[in-house]
Amino acid sequence: MIVLFGARGDLAKRKLWPGLFRLTQAGLMPEDFRIIGTGRHEPDGDIADEVRAALEKAAPDDLTDEAWASFAEKLSFEKSSADDGAKLAEAAKAAREELGDESRTLLYMSVPPSAMKPMVGMLAETGLSTDRARIVMEKPFGSDLKTAKDLNAALHEHVDEDAIYRIDHFLGKEGAQDILALRFANGLFEPLWCAEHVEAVQIDIPEKIGLEGRGSFYEETGAFRDMVVTHLSQILGFVAMEQPKSLSAGDLRDAKAALFEDLQPFDPDLAVYGQFDGYRDEDGVDDESTTETFVALRVDIDNDRWRGVPFLLRTGKALAEGRRVVTITLREPDCTIFGCRVEGERPSNTIVFELTDDPHLSVGVKVKVPGPTSAVAAAPLTLDVERALNQSGLEAYERLLRDVMVGDHMLFTRADEVERLWECAAPLLENPPEALTYEQGSWGPERADRLAEPAGWHLPEQAAQQPAGASA
Ligand code: BG6
């Protein structure tokens, strides 16, 4: 049985209901199951009507009458809040009785960080978080080190760490896992993965979309908490960690946690915050809000592998492109028979990961320009992974929902990692730079460009070089 908190929210409509529906169609759900949606406000009509409307938008091709009918009969809604979960607990008990004692309960907490702790108390009081329950916690996990520690302590009072799944859906993206495969499974790349050969790393997640009606959520989180301490830092973990002993959840998370120990506290002097023009006019946003909708940041890792290599992180709303790009820039030979790199020229020896659901890799190389000349020019070797292997993967949330059902923690974050990331974030949270206004559809405040000097940001790349699969 799945109990979905925040069942009428934006994430549920865009990702969770469609994900659960597609998993059902793919035969990846248990043979029999129930999904109880819950939240503070009842739907106007039947929850199934809301879910159907969400599926029509997100999964129209899979929505046959037959598929819908068998999914719809599993759905129900029960109102609940942190103060009152009695009716929900009754409904869950009834569903469990129908499904049998061996059934498990998956509690999906898609609620804002400030609501998490009181909800955890309610889960324990009502018996919802019994020993057969698994609890999925949406990010951001807390809003700083103190609240994350409090939330971890509140959870650990009632449930074992083994039952907790802190979700960061970027780790569920095929492209993110490709980083590990490319790094550790290839003699071509593994030896290059260190300061001796890598000049800089960029994790760049510009978004074209704005708030999409999530004004009040965004006012509480801002881009730094929403994206940087979470998605971008987790991707940084995959890019920079040492090779884990194995791909078990314990070994992989040990390796990532060790890397985060070497990550240096974020320096406010190396951060640029921005706010898009018009943000303050959005619903749910304060007229004088100083919330950042853009962050660019340089971070450093103090270990033998990475000392001296700048890791540049950038993300923001209402920017010129929607992309999720990791760029590893390799050092080029200082001077070759083909000439030196001119100062300010964009590096061409790059390894670029597109973290879309349909992942692409490209390696930028210099090749001889065809014709009666000795000149060289940069060109990408591009790989469309799904096409090359003639196989498609699961969407990130689908993959992660499935992992919770089979009890695999590998792609979920652990208490120590999350707390360490908040520790690194503390200087910026205490002393955030002023958010500079930027035009919608731009690349953010100009000051962010200076962070990436001398080589500059990999994006925007020249139009001709954009790989297929880059999305809006
Ligand atoms: C979410 C953030 O976690 O990730 C959103 O809350 C953001 O603000 C989204 O837009 C991006 O995810 P994706 O998978 O669409 O790149």
Side-chain angles (χ1 to χ4, degrees), residues 139 169-170 173 207 209 214 226-227 231 317 324:
K139 45 98 351 214
H169 80 277
F170 268 58
K173 289 183 188 285
E207 295 190 278
I209 54 170
R214 297 195 307 155
D226 185 35
M227 299 290 289
H231 303 322
K317 298 281 186 203
R324 307 155 189 91

Side-chain angles (χ1 to χ4, degrees), residues 344-363:
E345 186 190 343
R346 285 195 171 197
S348 42
N349 286 180
T350 48
I351 304 169
V352 182
F353 299 87
E354 293 274 346
L355 308 183
T356 50
D357 288 332
D358 175 12
H360 284 70
L361 297 175
S362 78
V363 178

Side-chain angles (χ1 to χ4, degrees), residues 393-407:
L394 294 175
E395 191 275 335
Y397 274 99
E398 291 167 30
R399 162 77 199 250
L400 295 172
L401 281 162
R402 162 127 181 106
D403 285 356
V404 182
M405 286 185 249
V406 299

